[in-house]
Amino acid sequence: MIQGGAAGGGGLGGPPAPPPTGRGSGAGAPPPGGAATPPSKRPFWKKPGGILAIVATTLAIAAIGGSLVGYILTFDIPEVKQLQDWKPPVVTTIYSADGQTLYQFGAEKRIVIPIDQVPKTFIDGLVATEDSRFYQHVGIDLWGVGRAIVTDIIRLKRAQGASTLTQQLARSLFLKSEKTLRRKLQELVLALQIEKSFTKSEILAFYCNQVYMGHGRYGLEAAAEYYFGKPAIKLSLAESALLAGLVQRPEAYSPIRAPDRAMSRRNHVLNRMVIEEKLKREEADAAIALPVVVAKQPDEDNIAPYFVEEVRRYLDAKYGEETLYEEGLEVHTTLDPAMQKAANKAVFEGLRVLDKRQGFRPITQNVVAQKGDLATFTHPTWGRPPLVGKLRFGLVTEVTKKVAAARLGDYTAHFGPEAIDWTQKTSLGQVLKVGDVAPFLVLAIDEAKKELKVKLDQEPLAESALLAIDPSNGEIKALVGGYDFNRSEFDRAIQSNRQAGSAFKPFVYAAALDSGYTLADTVFDEPTVFVDSATGDEYQPNNYYRKYYGVTTLRQAMEESRNIVAVKLLNQVGYTKTIDLARSMGITSPLRPYPSMALGTMEVSLIDLTTAYSVFPNQGVRVEPHFIRDVADREGKIREASKPKVTEALRADIAYVMTYLLEGVTESGTGAAAAKALNRTVAGKTGTTDDLADAWFVGFSPSLVAGVWVGFDQKKTLGEGETGARAALPIWIDFMKAAHEGRPPDKFVRPANVDYLPIDRRTGLRATVESNCPSPFLEAFVEGTEPAKACSEMEHFRMGLPYYLQRLELNGDLELQIDADALVKLIQEGQGTVELAPDGKEILVHDGDAALRVRLDIGRGDRRQAINELGPGGEGSPAPSPEASPGESPGGEQPRHVGVDGRPATVVPIKTN
């Protein structure tokens, strides 16, 4: 009973309360025990409008959250509508004169083309391989995403991507490469926006111009040109498929680096095209059967680095860096690729020949001595394939008495003592040690065996520059600024000024001809001192061979590069006239009016000197040298076209006579090797400075002018005998020979007022039948300037005398007319080179082992006086030695000027004009 009462919780004997039933039953019923309680609150959602409020709140939160997420995803991405004005960074392309691509400036090497220039086979292969549902989806392929997830789960790795072409484009154009959830969501948003704003064709056009294709190439056109050497529209099916396959992993599938992988990927693309019904099976099989063949890559990335750098500097200065590297300028230049390659080779080989004359230098780099590992050593240059005729560094791995071995990257070489013959050593061990790293000249390549035939070489220390110009239009056809652009970017053809030596003399001679001189006129070559009357400064030039020649025609003086005649001529013609002429011909560097200017002591640049020489074959007209023909923007609009300044620097007749004179230099003068080697009409002039620090040759044919300089960057001698004829001329000859190969010989144009007249080469006098001249030839004269006096036996005899006898009068019997005092002085000044015969009727002139007897026309009394004064032997007391001059002579005598032979020098005041 107690249990029942307790369970009921009611009054005694009362029945238990019925359990609450139904919804809300018992609400308001008193609690057990009869105590009353206040009614409970209704839940929020049970109130009228509660559910509606919940829905509204949820929607508001979702809207705010969505907006926030949308803002976070899109606040830093651009509007896709900007693609309507899309102008991707495009490389500036430098073209040669024949339209070849020389070089490209820009981080992304891209050539933009319209979609109608993209072959359908490429688009089909791209879509079939990268995004087969491209034409069905709206930027995001949910079916593709699901398929990729299933594939990845089955293979337990990321095996298949799910990005559409539109997503790839969005990522490439607008997003960073980081792999984050935010970036992926941004990619989806952008893909949807792109699909909404552009047609499928437009999207493909953007993609084909933007996608990276390996080796620094962006877009299909740049890739087609690089890999196959053709525009994209001309790609074959197999080539299109190969490029479509590159998109996924361009470096890994490169047909240059990995042709086998490239072929496998190409075949995969072709098979995908069959599956997607874009290609018939037999067409695919035919393409699959083809080998992978890419265009031959150039031996050098840049055949004209110094030329290209000059163009780059100009463009950067005029258009700015951003335009140069991103706006896709099309720059057509004047460079001739064949001539440039010839120039490169001529300088490369010429400097190495010069360097070997200077002797072998011990090898300084040794891997063993530097604690390196022979097995793992690599050289930075081994990344490029070897080329015949080029240097390649090698690691010496073995040296015995009869044979040595070297590793040159993936290639090996074995050689004997013949490979070191130029070093003047007889044993390999005297030159090489295991571990040595040295340059070798590649003579032959056995690709199958990976073996090279080589010869030990060394990189030259001297530098050289070569510049070639078309004189008719001023176009620079070839430029080499140094031995190796990677070693030094300093352009010695443009940026360097060096003493020109005798290469400056043509300006003096041209000024003389313009003043009325002729090539047959003579200047007396003798010891000469030029004195500045204002300061007392003295200048005494000497000839290269330290001899004096007496009467010398202007032609002979130029051909044999006589220094004293050049300085005398300059002083006679005038400094101002010569400087003005040099300026009008193209010399821009400072020129001082001083006698030594005739010998090229003033510094000039190679481009100035070569430009000035171009006036001679161009009939006196100077055309400003230039590198660029025109510059166009990416749309093809011409932004500038070359209009070189043209000036008449020299009369046409004077220019031709100078050309005819310089022809003689290449035929019988200091540059005599040139005409014979080239077997065509050429002209030019050598140049050598006193200390043999600078060697020059500047010369020309009717259609091409070329200048060569050789020297060290730090001014020091090139070595004994390294004149312009020996150091520079061979480089010039090699270049000109290659530059004119296949061209018919041509002649310089002779003006109508220039005539030829036979003269005697030695005297400059008119050659006649009666004169019996030993060396007649045709000289060029401007009408009205021909010599009237005929050559004679007397003049021939005079020219055979030493210079100090040539000014004495001769009688009809070819005897020197002289008195006692003059005879005694003549003999005493000779310091033993001249002696009087015992009978006093002739003198003996000694020249080495030879002796010349010259009869005298002298009175009996003068003869006796001379014999008495000279004493026994007829030699007299010697005059002061050359070492006593300039300055005081022995015994406290007054200062006197003498030549290198001890004879008195003629003192000439320096003109002030």
Side-chain angles (χ1 to χ4, degrees):
M1 298 296 256
I2 295 172
Q3 184 178 4
L12 295 172
T21 60
R23 190 169 182 177
S25 60
T37 60
S40 62
K41 292 183 179 181
R42 296 176 64 187
F44 173 76
W45 60 85
K46 291 184 179 181
K47 290 182 179 181
I51 293 179
L52 182 62
I54 291 174
V55 172
T57 301
T58 302
L59 291 175
I61 293 172
I64 294 171
S67 299
L68 182 61
V69 171
Y71 174 76
I72 292 173
L73 289 176
T74 62
F75 80 92
D76 61 346
I77 61 176
E79 292 287 335
V80 297
K81 290 183 179 180
Q82 293 180 7
L83 278 173
Q84 293 175 347
D85 301 317
W86 181 63
K87 288 187 177 181
V90 179
V91 293
T92 287
T93 303
I94 312 297
Y95 296 100
S96 62
D98 61 357
Q100 295 183 42
T101 298
L102 279 179
Y103 200 74
Q104 292 179 322
F105 292 109
E108 299 181 2
K109 292 181 171 60
R110 175 187 287 105
I111 303 172
V112 177
I113 56 173
I115 191 63
D116 59 10
Q117 294 298 304
V118 178
K120 184 176 183 300
T121 50
F122 176 81
I123 293 175
D124 289 344
L126 178 70
V127 171
T129 310
E130 293 293 317
D131 188 1
S132 60
R133 289 173 47 80
F134 173 73
Y135 293 102
Q136 286 78 46
H137 64 65
V138 293
I140 303 171
D141 184 7
L142 297 179
W143 173 260
V145 172
R147 184 183 65 248
I149 292 173
V150 171
T151 302
D152 290 351
I153 292 173
I154 292 173
R155 299 188 182 183
L156 297 179
K157 65 177 181 178
R158 181 175 175 80
Q160 192 172 64
S163 293
T164 64
L165 290 177
T166 313
Q167 287 176 260
Q168 294 177 35
L169 177 64
R171 182 193 318 147
S172 174
L173 287 172
F174 302 118
L175 302 175
K176 298 179 181 178
S177 59
E178 59 187 5
K179 293 184 178 181
T180 63
L181 176 61
R182 179 171 177 270
R183 198 273 296 160
K184 190 64 178 178
L185 293 174
Q186 286 180 323
E187 179 185 301
L188 299 177
V189 171
L190 285 169
L192 292 172
Q193 291 179 358
I194 290 172
E195 290 276 351
K196 183 179 178 181
S197 302
F198 300 97
T199 66
K200 292 291 186 178
S201 179
E202 290 172 329
I203 293 171
L204 283 172
F206 293 139
Y207 188 95
C208 290
N209 284 302
Q210 175 67 19
V211 64
Y212 180 61
M213 304 289 279
H215 294 274
R217 270 62 187 179
Y218 288 78
L220 176 63
E221 184 75 359
E225 291 284 359
Y226 180 74
Y227 291 113
F228 299 113
K230 63 177 69 173
I233 195 64
K234 294 185 177 180
L235 290 172
S236 67
L237 169 62
E239 292 166 344
S240 291
L242 189 147
L243 294 183
L246 282 182
V247 170
Q248 187 183 81
R249 294 173 63 195
E251 303 297 349
Y253 293 134
S254 164
I256 295 174
R257 292 177 178 155
D260 291 340
R261 285 201 298 266
M263 177 182 288
S264 176
R265 180 66 179 170
R266 179 202 67 182
N267 297 345
H268 170 71
V269 173
L270 292 167
N271 288 325
R272 284 291 306 157
M273 292 172 72
V274 173
I275 293 172
E276 295 296 327
E277 299 182 351
K278 299 296 183 181
L279 192 66
K280 295 180 180 179
R281 182 75 260 173
E282 54 269 25
E283 293 175 318
D285 290 342
I288 288 172
L290 296 174
V292 171
V293 179
V294 296
K296 183 180 183 299
Q297 300 301 307
D299 295 338
E300 302 171 80
D301 292 333
N302 184 357
I303 64 168
Y306 291 98
F307 181 95
V308 168
E309 177 59 14
E310 292 297 335
V311 173
R312 186 202 66 79
R313 276 198 286 260
Y314 170 81
L315 296 173
D316 188 30
K318 183 164 185 177
Y319 297 103
E321 186 174 316
E322 182 177 349
T323 299
L324 171 61
Y325 289 99
E326 296 184 7
E327 292 302 314
L329 298 178
E330 301 277 315
V331 184
H332 293 90
T333 73
T334 61
L335 185 125
D336 184 305
M339 289 190 189
Q340 182 63 44
K341 292 176 181 178
N344 293 343
K345 183 178 180 181
V347 170
F348 174 76
E349 295 184 351
L351 281 179
R352 288 172 44 251
V353 170
L354 166 66
D355 187 70
K356 288 177 175 59
R357 288 200 298 265
Q358 295 171 343
F360 170 70
R361 296 184 298 277
I363 299 168
T364 57
Q365 184 180 359
N366 186 281
V367 174
V368 174
Q370 296 165 356
K371 309 299 183 183
D373 184 1
L374 294 179
T376 60
F377 173 82
T378 60
H379 195 273
T381 61
W382 288 353
R384 296 186 63 85
L387 297 171
V388 173
K390 297 291 186 180
L391 297 186
R392 186 173 180 85
F393 277 86
L395 172 67
V396 178
T397 56
E398 178 186 1
V399 179
T400 66
K401 289 183 179 181
K402 295 184 178 180
V403 69
R407 180 165 61 88
L408 303 95
D410 295 333
Y411 299 79
T412 58
H414 295 81
F415 50 90
E418 72 283 351
I420 63 164
D421 54 6
W422 63 270
T423 67
Q424 306 301 314
K425 308 292 184 182
T426 57
S427 168
L428 290 166
Q430 293 177 288
V431 176
L432 298 171
K433 300 185 296 294
V434 171
D436 280 347
V437 178
F440 292 85
L441 179 67
V442 178
L443 304 176
I445 303 173
D446 187 333
E447 194 63 45
K449 297 181 179 179
K450 291 292 182 180
E451 290 183 358
L452 305 178
K453 183 179 180 181
V454 300
K455 192 167 187 175
L456 180 67
D457 217 290
Q458 64 185 16
E459 291 196 323
L461 301 179
E463 290 287 354
S464 180
L466 187 153
L467 182 75
I469 299 176
D470 183 335
S472 66
N473 55 26
E475 291 190 344
I476 295 174
K477 311 309 292 184
L479 187 153
V480 177
Y483 174 73
D484 184 354
F485 186 77
N486 294 319
R487 182 169 87 174
S488 170
E489 296 183 11
F490 182 65
D491 187 349
R492 295 155 188 85
I494 308 293
Q495 298 172 295
S496 177
N497 283 3
R498 300 294 288 254
Q499 289 183 338
S502 294
F504 190 85
K505 289 177 182 176
F507 305 114
V508 178
Y509 284 72
L513 293 176
D514 196 46
S515 299
Y517 285 74
T518 74
L519 300 183
D521 287 339
T522 61
V523 175
F524 203 78
D525 185 352
E526 61 183 338
T528 308
V529 175
F530 295 85
V531 179
D532 188 330
S533 57
T535 64
D537 291 342
E538 299 176 353
Y539 174 68
Q540 183 172 359
N542 284 307
N543 293 321
Y544 181 77
Y545 292 109
R546 303 178 70 80
K547 293 182 179 180
Y548 308 100
Y549 301 91
V551 177
T552 306
T553 64
L554 296 195
R555 170 172 289 281
Q556 189 174 22
M558 173 64 83
E559 290 180 353
E560 299 182 10
S561 204
R562 303 275 175 81
N563 292 338
I564 295 172
V565 172
V567 179
K568 276 191 168 184
L569 189 62
L570 170 63
N571 200 57
Q572 293 170 13
V573 171
Y575 300 91
T576 301
K577 181 177 182 63
T578 303
I579 290 173
D580 289 346
L581 178 62
R583 288 268 179 266
S584 69
M585 292 178 68
I587 301 299
T588 61
S589 52
L591 299 174
R592 291 178 54 238
Y594 196 73
S596 63
M597 182 177 72
L599 307 185
T601 56
M602 312 305 170
E603 294 185 339
V604 299
S605 66
L606 180 60
I607 188 171
D608 278 5
L609 200 57
T610 307
T611 300
Y613 272 59
S614 72
V615 170
F616 298 134
N618 201 36
Q619 303 179 66
V621 176
R622 179 175 76 88
V623 185
E624 186 178 17
H626 54 283
F627 298 90
I628 295 173
R629 287 180 174 174
D630 60 67
V631 178
D633 60 22
R634 68 167 73 193
E635 279 80 32
K637 182 180 178 182
I638 299 297
R639 300 188 64 167
E640 71 168 283
S642 67
K643 295 180 180 179
K645 184 179 179 181
V646 179
T647 57
E648 184 177 358
L650 199 62
R651 283 171 25 203
D653 51 7
I654 301 300
Y656 178 79
V657 173
M658 277 299 305
T659 298
Y660 192 62
L661 169 62
L662 295 174
E663 280 187 65
V665 175
T666 65
E667 292 171 353
S668 59
T670 56
K676 182 179 180 180
L678 296 173
N679 193 29
R680 64 173 60 236
T681 301
V682 291
K685 182 69 183 77
T686 55
T688 310
T689 54
D690 279 344
D691 50 5
L692 299 174
D694 299 279
W696 301 78
F697 189 85
V698 185
F700 49 90
S701 68
S703 58
L704 188 66
V705 184
V708 174
W709 167 84
V710 177
F712 291 101
D713 285 340
Q714 292 74 33
K715 196 167 184 179
K716 63 179 183 178
T717 182
L718 286 167
E720 184 178 355
E722 298 297 346
T723 62
R726 193 181 192 204
L729 179 57
I731 296 175
W732 186 89
I733 289 174
D734 286 348
F735 166 73
M736 292 292 277
K737 188 180 295 183
H740 287 84
E741 187 174 359
R743 296 187 182 187
D746 46 2
K747 297 290 184 180
F748 295 108
V749 178
R750 176 168 66 96
N753 67 328
V754 174
D755 294 326
Y756 296 119
L757 182 72
I759 68 167
D760 178 68
R761 177 180 289 274
R762 187 75 175 84
T763 65
L765 300 176
R766 186 189 292 261
T768 63
V769 176
E770 295 79 12
S771 63
N772 193 28
C773 293
S775 53
F777 83 111
L778 290 176
E779 184 60 277
F781 296 92
V782 176
E783 278 184 355
T785 65
E786 301 89 342
K789 185 179 178 180
C791 190
S792 65
E793 183 183 2
M794 180 180 294
E795 293 306 317
H796 293 161
F797 179 79
R798 184 190 305 279
M799 300 307 295
L801 297 174
Y803 79 92
Y804 47 83
L805 300 180
Q806 289 180 15
R807 279 185 166 152
L808 296 175
E809 293 296 326
L810 291 170
N811 63 21
D813 295 325
L814 304 181
E815 296 174 333
L816 289 179
Q817 295 178 333
I818 194 168
D819 60 25
D821 292 339
L823 179 59
V824 171
K825 182 180 179 183
L826 173 70
I827 292 175
Q828 287 181 338
E829 290 174 347
Q831 302 183 65
T833 59
V834 181
E835 64 175 291
L836 182 64
D839 59 4
K841 294 181 179 181
E842 63 181 8
I843 57 174
L844 277 72
V845 181
H846 300 282
D847 183 10
D849 296 333
L852 173 67
R853 292 181 177 273
V854 182
R855 291 179 299 166
L856 302 177
D857 179 3
I858 186 171
R860 183 177 299 175
D862 284 330
R863 187 186 310 133
R864 188 178 300 112
Q865 177 185 339
I867 292 173
N868 291 335
E869 289 188 24
L870 293 172
E875 297 182 1
S877 301
S881 66
E883 289 75 10
S885 172
E888 292 189 359
S889 57
E893 299 176 12
Q894 290 298 314
R896 57 195 299 268
H897 301 93
V898 298
V900 293
D901 61 354
R903 292 189 175 276
T906 300
V907 177
V908 176
I910 297 174
K911 287 188 176 181
T912 57
N913 64 330

